[in-house]
Amino acid sequence: MRTKTFKLAALVTSAALLLGGCAAPAADPAATDPATDSAAKGEIVIWHMEGVPNRVAAFDALAAEYNATNPDFTVRFETQQWDEIYPKIAGTAQAGNQPDILFAIPDFATYVRSLGLGQPVTDVVEGIDASQGLLDASKVAYQDGGEYWAVPLYGMVQLLWYNKVMFETAGLEAPKTYSELLATAKALTKDGVSGIALPAGKNLATDQVLYSLMITGGAANFFDESEGIALDSPETVKAFSLYNDLLEYSPKDSANYAWGEPQAALNSGAAAMAIEKGQYLTPWAAESGLDPSQLGCAPIPVADNGGQSGSIYYSNGAMVLAEDDDRRAGAGAFLTWLMQPDNYGDFLNAEPGLFLPVTTGGADLEQWRQNEVLSQYPECVDLLLKQSETGALFGFVDGQYVEKIGLISGQNIFAQAIQQMYVNGMPPAEASIWAQEQMKAAIE
Amino acid sequence: MTTFSTKRTSHIGNLIVWTKKLPNFVSQLVVTIVVFAPIYWIVMSSFKGPEEIIRSEPTFWPETWTFGNFERLFTSTKYLVFLGNSLFLSISTAVVTVLISLGAAYGLYRIRVPGSGRIAGVILLAYMIPGTLLIVPLHQTLSGLGLIDSLTALLLLNVAFTAPFSTWLLRGFILSIPSDLDDAAAIDGAGPVRTMFEIVLPLLRPGMATVAVYSFVFSWTEFVFASQFVSRQELQTLPIGLSAIIGQYNVDWGLVLAGVVFTMLPAVFVFLLVGRFFIGGLIAGATK
Amino acid sequence: MIDVGNINQAGSDNKNRPSLVGLKKGNQKPVSWEKVFGFLLISPLLLILILTIGFPVISAVFSGFQDQRIIGSPSAFVGFDTYLKVIEDSSFWDALGRSGLWVAVNLVVQTVLAFSVAFSLQQNGRWSKSARTWVVLPWVIPTVAVAIIWQWLLNSNYGVLHYLFGEIGVDLGSPFGDPATALFSVIIVNSWHWFPLGAVVIYGALSTVPTEVIEAAKVDGATPGRIFWSITFPILQPVLFALGLVGSLWSFNVLDSIYLITEGGPLEASTTAPVYVYDLAFSEFRSSQAAAASVLTVLVLSVAALLFVRFGRPKEDA
């Protein structure tokens, strides 16, 4: 009961403070809609990473729509960069001027939490779950100590993308297993075309593709019960080995590739296959000059024996960093609004194909399915949705929450292990042990 | 080679003139290619469609010209806002840097205040600190000053990074001005302030022009501070706007190239406009 | 750093000009006003530097004696343990070595380019006149764009440079992905980006060379080489000294060009000291170790700067 009175008192004081604070600097007139200004108690600032114009435009439009509903707190999106966010959020944590909401992925969330930022959002998540139904995979990666630490917003998942024209000319079918994948890559490598384009740069792109292959090879969980790291399993070594073998049929400068280069290689006809997320849909037709029906998509091939379908799955969520109760409530209100079917479709359309719904009803959202890009690739969209169900992310497999994963993932140790094999000629078994030792050292 | 009589035949004369000019011509050609080849490629490609930009057999002249990339740049990004911020920041950085470094260089290397050597050493230290180290503590300093999310913060930081180098640069220019000038002025009864403004500063114009150009460009391209300490879109500068359109997952090449072209253009335009002033300053310095 | 100051101090004392100016003419004006004026002139710069780098430097030295992982997380005082950890890490010394190579090669490439451009700019003629405006182009492109453009030009699938070299039978291979060439390829890109700065500075300094003296020397039959070494170079020397010293220190700390292109890879092939420090701080989240590595790097740089000042300072320069 005491907390209730305390909360009430805090609410009243903070409201008073906020009102006073609002009146003083005569808030930038351009930033907020004059119609809503009088009613709002303040502004919620939201940081999201990646400022590609379509995403910014879609988010800004949603903010305007929300602000027009006369909420307690209006919202404003600000764009950050993945490359800069680690130092920046640490700096704001020290200075106490963090944003109210921060978009995150599970491993980044562990980093943000270790800076002393982030409030539990269990009530918001449970509320959304009750009304919209949230996919388990999207929630579990943010669940720790009985609380949720982010509101799941959208998922991202990988597929095998391929150029159907090349496959038809060569009389090939989409590969289903490791060995078929390797054979197909080999068969398609001729006349200056690479069978597959894979990233092997020292970056997260490389980590992601390798991890997808580890999942389909049965090596998704490399943490044992005591959170010890075991990367020397035969399944892991097989995935490492496959990646290294595939790189032989990937363009010769793959060791400097991240996300953009394999996609451009596939679209320009320089490569026949690539493994990546749903962002491949939007530019395909314009960049390749081919018909949407000529972009092939298939589940990521599985290990020859005992493999299971799957992919790396990133549940992107919104962390609430505001510490004041009132602002937290305002942040929760906006996120709840965002996940309502009417608004959620517009949100997903910010990045057609890359952003996948995390609500059970999301897959059937008309607004989303009828998107001008997605409606041209109905089969691939279905496949992306299907892969989401079996997706996983290292450190968060089967309900685990490895708090130290943030310390590991920042270093791109998987990518470095790939480079050990690819540019240094280290055998796969040795590279997997090398990666294991690096990860152990990282959390020491 | 000078033993040839250049007057004997016009043929040989021409040959000699030509061989004398040849190294010159070659170096001009090389410089032109080094600077322009990549830029030519950027500009040409910014007029190409999405398929032509990443074609394996490149086209040296756009097959079909399109202005779509530029159209997207102006409709889907706040280019003009970024441009305004960049111009404001770069010009103010240039002005402030010239003033501050001129003062510092004059005090250190002309007046030579006691301990000037040690002070110069401390200034040099500014260049030894890895930038990474500064970021997180600077968040605290700037928010203590109430400067987070303001162009003033960027101005302060840019000057902090341009002024030390500029001071060192001006040192060289100051040392090349004969010191008897000051002494002569002093005999004429000029005080230190008058000596500075009337005798030395006019001779420092080439140095000041160099410093202005340097600090303008530093600000024009500065990325780390602008991304760390400013978050509002209305305050962002061109490099931030440009890097924002380079997505992590998707690269819209046409848009990026159009963005690059329109980041270069204003700077070149500024040089065209005030270039005469700079070069005038340089030449004036040279002939005095 | 105190030593650098002392050397400069010794240097500035060589000429004893400050005291002479005050005494020689038996001026009535108190000497101190000039000095006060001098301090007033210097103070804004010092104030800005104290404000912006003073606090971070102090906090780095302090942090080096702790064992902090993620910035802001709890930590304990561990004496010199963190420093020892860095000193014992062979990657740190490798990174420093690469930085040495980075600075040296950048210096050579950029000096050659800058000098030839500066001389070309100085001539009369249409080319030189127009070049004075456009030569700055590579320099005014933000580094983010420079990095992406060069990766695009050199890509093996759609890169025009790769294509052109292929046409004349040269396979460029994987310039940024091959450990043998990655660092040098980034140096080339970085030099392309920065050489106009050197060119503008040298051109500015060349403009201060009195033309009459050169004309007179020409009349006396001096060769261009002689004119350069005995007239132009001595006048350029103070500016070149400043450019060489500060330019090298600054090029040492370049992080963005490298990070944006290779992220220090493949493996550690292009991990210079600043990349090493950045990775420690924000990829491995060992902030105390990053601070200690920075402090050690600054010490090494101070020694290098000191040597440069001792041996590189122009003779007649104060």
Side-chain angles (χ1 to χ4, degrees):
Chain A
M1 308 314 103
R2 216 171 40 172
T3 47
K4 213 165 194 178
T5 17
F6 174 72
K7 267 187 184 170
L8 193 76
L11 201 129
V12 173
T13 13
S14 53
L17 282 173
L18 277 165
L19 282 171
C22 261
D28 189 0
T32 44
D33 188 17
T36 61
D37 214 9
S38 52
K41 288 190 221 163
E43 193 178 53
I44 300 273
V45 172
I46 307 166
W47 280 8
H48 68 101
M49 269 56 80
E50 279 204 62
V52 284
N54 47 316
R55 203 184 282 199
V56 173
F59 286 3
D60 285 349
L62 279 163
E65 207 177 308
Y66 177 70
N67 293 345
T69 64
N70 285 316
D72 281 352
F73 286 86
T74 56
V75 297
R76 183 160 51 86
F77 281 95
E78 288 180 351
T79 305
Q80 309 299 328
Q81 318 274 323
W82 272 117
D83 280 345
E84 308 298 322
I85 193 66
Y86 282 81
K88 189 163 185 172
I89 199 71
T92 62
Q94 301 256 292
N97 52 11
Q98 73 272 15
D100 300 294
I101 297 180
L102 174 69
F103 279 26
I105 51 176
D107 45 352
F108 176 55
T110 67
Y111 169 75
V112 177
R113 286 185 61 202
S114 63
L115 294 170
L117 293 177
Q119 304 295 324
V121 287
T122 313
D123 48 339
V124 183
V125 173
E126 281 171 354
I128 295 169
D129 202 8
S131 57
Q132 321 295 338
L134 285 168
L135 300 182
D136 270 346
S138 72
K139 288 185 295 183
V140 290
Y142 294 110
Q143 193 175 29
D144 182 38
E147 300 271 16
Y148 288 108
W149 297 92
V151 178
L153 294 177
Y154 59 91
M156 298 191 303
V157 78
Q158 292 185 328
L159 293 182
L160 174 75
W161 303 97
Y162 60 94
N163 183 323
K164 271 191 188 164
V165 182
M166 291 183 186
F167 271 63
E168 276 159 22
T169 317
L172 290 166
E173 296 266 310
K176 291 191 179 62
T177 63
Y178 272 16
S179 52
E180 284 176 29
L181 176 62
L182 191 59
T184 312
K186 189 179 178 189
L188 288 164
T189 303
K190 58 182 174 204
D191 310 327
V193 172
S194 301
I196 189 166
L198 288 177
K202 194 177 175 181
N203 51 46
L204 185 61
T206 310
D207 296 343
Q208 292 176 347
V209 179
L210 174 68
Y211 187 66
S212 278
L213 289 172
M214 283 170 64
I215 291 176
T216 60
N221 191 357
F222 53 86
F223 290 94
D224 55 34
E225 289 77 31
S226 53
E227 293 197 0
I229 296 158
L231 274 174
D232 50 357
S233 71
E235 289 85 4
T236 311
V237 175
K238 236 184 254 171
F240 273 55
S241 170
L242 172 71
Y243 206 106
N244 192 37
D245 292 344
L246 284 171
L247 279 170
E248 211 171 301
Y249 308 109
S250 184
K252 58 192 161 198
D253 50 349
S254 300
N256 191 44
Y257 282 14
W259 289 274
E261 293 86 357
Q263 182 175 17
L266 180 78
N267 290 356
S268 68
M273 296 186 282
I275 295 174
E276 247 312 315
K277 302 187 210 53
Q279 77 270 24
Y280 272 37
L281 296 177
T282 307
W284 165 259
E287 285 188 2
S288 69
L290 297 173
D291 192 74
S293 66
Q294 287 165 319
L295 174 66
C297 51
I300 295 171
V302 302
D304 292 64
N305 41 8
Q308 52 182 17
S309 173
S311 149
I312 193 166
Y313 178 81
Y314 273 105
S315 168
N316 286 252
M319 297 181 77
V320 174
L321 308 188
E323 279 158 9
D324 159 310
D325 283 340
D326 222 13
R327 301 186 76 83
R328 280 170 60 189
F334 171 68
L335 294 170
T336 308
W337 176 87
L338 190 65
M339 298 302 285
Q340 282 168 10
D342 285 352
N343 314 314
Y344 193 45
D346 291 337
F347 176 73
L348 293 175
N349 283 336
E351 291 276 6
L354 181 62
F355 287 7
L356 299 171
V358 291
T359 59
T360 45
D364 305 316
L365 273 177
E366 275 297 294
Q367 252 168 310
W368 181 61
R369 293 303 297 236
Q370 294 306 316
N371 174 283
E372 56 172 338
V373 175
L374 299 186
S375 56
Q376 294 179 60
Y377 304 90
E379 286 149 29
C380 292
V381 174
D382 284 337
L383 196 56
L384 283 165
L385 288 168
K386 190 159 172 268
Q387 289 284 73
S388 310
E389 291 163 15
T390 50
L393 181 62
F394 44 89
F396 307 96
V397 184
D398 304 330
Q400 65 187 174
Y401 189 92
V402 180
E403 213 174 299
K404 288 175 169 171
I405 197 72
L407 296 177
I408 294 175
S409 66
Q411 294 183 58
N412 303 321
I413 291 171
F414 280 137
Q416 294 195 52
I418 298 288
Q419 293 193 325
Q420 287 285 15
M421 296 187 289
Y422 185 48
V423 301
N424 275 358
M426 193 186 267
E430 229 175 278
S432 69
I433 290 174
W434 180 86
Q436 174 181 309
E437 297 311 312
Q438 294 289 311
M439 287 189 188
K440 280 182 181 165
I443 56 176
E444 247 168 34
Chain B
M1 56 178 187
T2 41
T3 51
F4 273 105
S5 164
T6 49
K7 276 168 193 164
R8 197 172 291 164
T9 68
S10 61
H11 256 71
I12 293 177
N14 279 345
L15 192 69
I16 285 169
V17 170
W18 204 74
T19 36
K20 268 193 169 168
K21 277 191 173 167
L22 186 68
N24 220 334
F25 177 73
V26 169
S27 76
Q28 290 182 353
L29 188 73
V30 169
V31 172
T32 311
I33 290 176
V34 165
V35 173
F36 268 111
I39 302 219
Y40 169 85
W41 193 248
I42 295 161
V43 175
M44 278 306 135
S45 300
S46 66
F47 288 101
K48 294 176 180 175
E51 181 266 336
E52 206 180 335
I53 289 180
I54 55 168
R55 202 181 286 176
S56 298
E57 284 211 357
T59 48
F60 290 86
W61 191 254
E63 234 172 39
T64 43
W65 290 75
T66 166
F67 291 91
N69 300 324
F70 297 101
E71 212 179 290
R72 281 209 304 294
L73 181 70
F74 283 95
T75 54
S76 69
T77 74
K78 293 187 174 167
Y79 172 80
L80 290 175
V81 174
F82 303 149
L83 176 67
N85 291 333
S86 273
L87 279 176
F88 169 76
L89 188 61
S90 302
I91 292 170
S92 50
T93 304
V95 171
V96 177
T97 303
V98 168
L99 292 178
I100 285 185
S101 59
L102 200 60
Y106 197 86
L108 287 174
Y109 305 115
R110 200 71 181 184
I111 295 181
R112 287 175 190 281
V113 300
S116 56
R118 204 157 287 148
I119 299 174
V122 170
I123 291 175
L124 198 59
L125 188 72
Y127 272 100
M128 299 186 191
I129 316 285
T132 304
L133 206 60
L134 304 180
I135 296 170
V136 172
L138 271 177
H139 271 279
Q140 276 168 284
T141 311
L142 291 174
S143 57
L145 295 170
L147 290 178
I148 284 281
D149 229 2
S150 74
L151 290 178
T152 318
L154 300 186
L155 173 64
L156 181 76
L157 294 172
N158 286 350
V159 171
F161 269 75
T162 51
F165 180 52
S166 303
T167 306
W168 273 79
L169 263 186
L170 287 174
R171 168 186 185 272
F173 285 92
I174 285 182
L175 292 180
S176 65
I177 296 172
S179 59
D180 359 336
L181 282 177
D182 296 24
D183 303 347
I187 290 164
D188 289 348
V193 181
R194 238 183 85 195
T195 312
M196 172 175 166
F197 281 100
E198 287 178 14
I199 313 292
V200 185
L201 287 202
L203 292 173
L204 276 179
R205 267 190 289 181
M208 285 158 71
T210 310
V211 166
V213 171
Y214 159 69
S215 44
F216 180 91
V217 177
F218 179 93
S219 252
W220 190 258
T221 57
E222 199 287 316
F223 178 79
V224 175
F225 299 142
S227 73
Q228 286 292 334
F229 304 115
V230 161
S231 296
R232 282 168 182 271
Q233 222 188 352
E234 309 94 76
L235 295 179
Q236 282 173 351
T237 56
L238 277 174
I240 306 300
L242 188 62
S243 79
I245 62 179
I246 302 169
Q248 181 170 26
Y249 294 127
N250 264 324
V251 181
D252 182 341
W253 287 101
L255 186 62
V256 171
L257 294 172
V260 172
V261 170
F262 270 87
T263 323
M264 290 189 298
L265 272 184
V268 173
F269 192 66
V270 167
F271 276 77
L272 275 177
L273 266 183
V274 299
R276 199 172 307 154
F277 165 74
F278 282 131
I279 291 159
L282 298 177
I283 302 292
T287 48
K288 272 219 172 123
Chain C
M1 104 203 180
I2 292 161
D3 287 345
V4 173
N6 281 339
I7 290 294
N8 278 347
Q9 177 80 57
S12 57
D13 284 342
N14 280 347
K15 270 193 150 180
N16 292 326
R17 185 143 38 73
S19 47
L20 282 180
V21 172
L23 296 174
K24 194 161 60 180
K25 40 204 158 124
N27 206 319
Q28 305 311 333
K29 274 192 190 95
V31 176
S32 58
W33 159 236
E34 197 190 21
K35 302 297 176 211
V36 170
F37 179 57
F39 275 118
L40 282 179
L41 289 174
I42 302 169
S43 56
L45 175 59
L46 288 181
L47 199 71
I48 288 184
L49 289 182
I50 290 167
L51 210 60
T52 52
I53 65 166
F55 172 54
V57 167
I58 292 167
S59 88
V61 172
F62 191 68
S63 169
F65 290 106
Q66 314 245 325
D67 62 351
Q68 194 175 52
R69 289 290 309 254
I70 290 177
I71 291 161
S73 61
S75 59
F77 178 81
V78 293
F80 282 94
D81 281 9
T82 305
Y83 282 95
L84 283 176
K85 229 184 232 172
V86 174
I87 290 171
E88 282 164 9
D89 184 2
S90 63
S91 297
F92 171 67
W93 298 104
D94 291 347
L96 268 184
R98 263 178 237 114
S99 276
L101 193 65
W102 164 269
V103 169
V105 181
N106 263 303
L107 192 67
V108 170
V109 175
Q110 289 183 44
T111 306
V112 169
L113 270 171
F115 254 106
S116 49
V117 172
F119 279 125
S120 309
L121 290 183
Q122 231 210 345
Q123 275 144 13
N124 295 316
R126 209 172 297 158
W127 185 89
S128 304
K129 255 188 197 152
S130 73
R132 283 171 206 160
T133 45
W134 56 250
V135 80
V136 298
L137 275 172
W139 184 32
V140 301
I141 306 175
T143 315
V144 218
V146 172
I148 198 160
I149 286 165
W150 279 89
Q151 282 178 282
W152 173 61
L153 290 173
L154 288 166
N155 187 284
S156 73
N157 299 314
Y158 42 84
V160 66
L161 271 179
H162 188 273
Y163 173 83
L164 285 176
F165 276 91
E167 290 291 285
I168 56 166
V170 179
D171 183 359
L172 282 184
S174 177
F176 300 121
D178 184 337
T181 56
L183 187 64
F184 289 97
S185 307
V186 182
I187 287 176
I188 298 292
V189 174
N190 188 61
S191 297
W192 183 79
H193 185 30
W194 284 110
F195 84 87
L197 168 62
V200 167
V201 171
I202 294 171
Y203 172 63
L206 279 177
S207 308
T208 62
V209 177
T211 36
E212 312 91 72
V213 181
I214 291 186
E215 289 307 320
K218 270 187 192 162
V219 171
D220 291 347
T223 61
R226 230 195 107 83
I227 292 177
F228 178 78
W229 288 112
S230 52
I231 301 173
T232 316
F233 189 71
I235 295 180
L236 287 186
Q237 224 178 348
V239 175
L240 289 181
F241 171 67
L243 187 66
L245 180 57
V246 186
S248 298
L249 286 178
W250 183 19
S251 126
F252 183 96
N253 274 327
V254 165
L255 173 71
D256 50 2
S257 301
I258 306 174
Y259 216 85
L260 288 166
I261 298 177
T262 64
E263 308 205 22
L267 294 164
E268 292 182 348
S270 55
T271 300
T272 58
V275 177
Y276 174 85
V277 169
Y278 184 88
D279 274 344
L280 269 182
F282 297 112
S283 301
E284 298 182 32
F285 309 117
R286 298 181 188 276
S287 53
S288 281
Q289 246 171 284
S294 305
V295 172
L296 290 171
T297 309
V298 171
L299 289 179
V300 172
L301 277 181
S302 303
V303 173
L306 195 139
L307 291 175
F308 188 89
V309 169
R310 169 151 293 174
F311 295 108
R313 182 154 40 86
K315 290 215 172 54
E316 50 280 71
D317 172 20

